[in-house]
Amino acid sequence: QVQLQQSEGDSVQAGGSLKLTCSVFGSIYSSYCMAWFHQSPGKDREGVAAFDTDGETIYADSVQGRFTISQDGAKNKLYLQMNNLKPEDTAMYYCALDFSLWLTLNENDYDYWGQGTQVTVSS
């Protein structure tokens, strides 16, 4: 059974940076996709960034150039480096994993989820 455990969230002022971590526990296959999603109050969960084991990445337009998704060398941690944060980035952030190489920001394509981490950006 795969489990995803996220680091605690934080608060930051606009223009600041945060790095989120998602630790992967359990056996995973050699091919997979991992992604970050966020959800603001009253809104649907939206994809932020995703990568696959072929090295491809995709980003939502709203974070392109500001956020970077990456994985550690041991491949048991997923990161989201968030720079130049804006108040509209305030949300609950979730990591997710899917055992396929269908690179997507659609939440319905992911089977395993972290517990969520609150990120708050003040103006």
Side-chain angles (χ1 to χ4, degrees):
Q1 183 70 18
V2 174
Q3 292 186 335
L4 306 181
Q5 182 68 39
Q6 295 179 228
S7 58
E8 292 186 1
D10 206 344
S11 299
V12 66
Q13 289 192 327
S17 297
L18 282 176
K19 187 173 185 177
L20 303 183
T21 301
C22 174
S23 298
V24 182
F25 298 95
S27 298
I28 60 174
Y29 303 120
S30 58
S31 297
Y32 53 87
C33 292
M34 293 197 73
W36 288 96
F37 291 78
H38 68 192
Q39 186 170 23
S40 302
K43 294 186 178 181
D44 294 334
R45 189 156 53 185
E46 300 176 332
V48 173
F51 87 99
D52 64 25
T53 46
D54 280 346
E56 298 294 323
T57 58
I58 53 174
Y59 294 90
D61 290 343
S62 61
V63 306
Q64 183 75 46
R66 299 189 298 123
F67 290 12
T68 303
I69 187 171
S70 65
Q71 189 180 36
D72 71 328
K75 301 188 178 186
N76 59 9
K77 291 188 187 297
L78 177 73
Y79 302 109
L80 184 68
Q81 177 66 48
M82 305 185 291
N83 297 327
N84 190 22
L85 282 159
K86 304 176 181 180
E88 51 263 41
D89 294 320
T90 295
M92 187 72 78
Y93 284 74
Y94 299 89
C95 60
L97 179 146
D98 177 57
F99 290 123
S100 76
L101 287 179
W102 183 254
L103 190 58
T104 170
L105 292 178
N106 186 333
E107 64 173 325
N108 295 319
D109 294 323
Y110 289 85
D111 294 322
Y112 300 94
W113 291 85
Q115 81 278 19
T117 295
Q118 179 65 40
V119 171
T120 302
V121 183
S122 58
S123 57

